[in-house]
Amino acid sequence: MLTDEQKKQALSHLNEICPDTFDEGEFGPWKFTDLARDGARWTLAFENRDGADRVSFEFAGDCVDDGGIVVTDWFEQINARILEWESEAFE
């Protein structure tokens, strides 16, 4: 289950690192606007130069640890899925 606090922490982290991580590509600037979880299925909504969209991915664990730090494996799933989204947008 995704709590409101976990959602807030994850979105805050993603938006904080946007300038160095996501904005450098063709679609920047990025803004992550919503996060949802249904079991192991995650959906991340965003806005960028191309408009608004969302990506979904599978991850069985939580997005942040007990200290509020984003889980590296969760972030890597997001990063990979965004790279896929970008490559699909070029097709």
Side-chain angles (χ1 to χ4, degrees):
M1 174 171 188
L2 178 65
T3 68
D4 288 341
E5 185 62 24
Q6 289 171 323
K7 178 178 172 177
K8 179 182 170 185
Q9 291 167 329
L11 289 172
S12 176
H13 174 79
L14 292 173
N15 285 312
E16 253 181 52
I17 66 170
C18 272
D20 295 329
T21 306
F22 301 108
D23 289 353
E24 294 178 0
E26 172 130 354
F27 299 101
W30 289 72
K31 180 177 182 186
F32 297 98
T33 57
D34 196 19
L35 181 65
R37 180 181 185 183
D38 183 13
R41 183 85 169 159
W42 293 82
T43 302
L44 177 65
F46 58 86
E47 298 171 358
N48 63 24
R49 188 172 290 144
D50 198 49
D53 204 351
R54 59 189 62 236
V55 293
S56 294
F57 57 96
E58 299 286 326
F59 185 76
D62 288 330
C63 58
V64 295
D65 64 18
D66 291 338
I69 305 298
V70 168
V71 175
T72 301
D73 291 341
W74 180 83
F75 173 76
E76 287 175 1
Q77 291 295 318
I78 287 176
N79 196 39
R81 186 59 189 102
I82 288 174
L83 290 172
E84 288 174 20
W85 179 92
E86 288 178 324
S87 67
E88 292 166 2
F90 282 119
E91 293 178 355

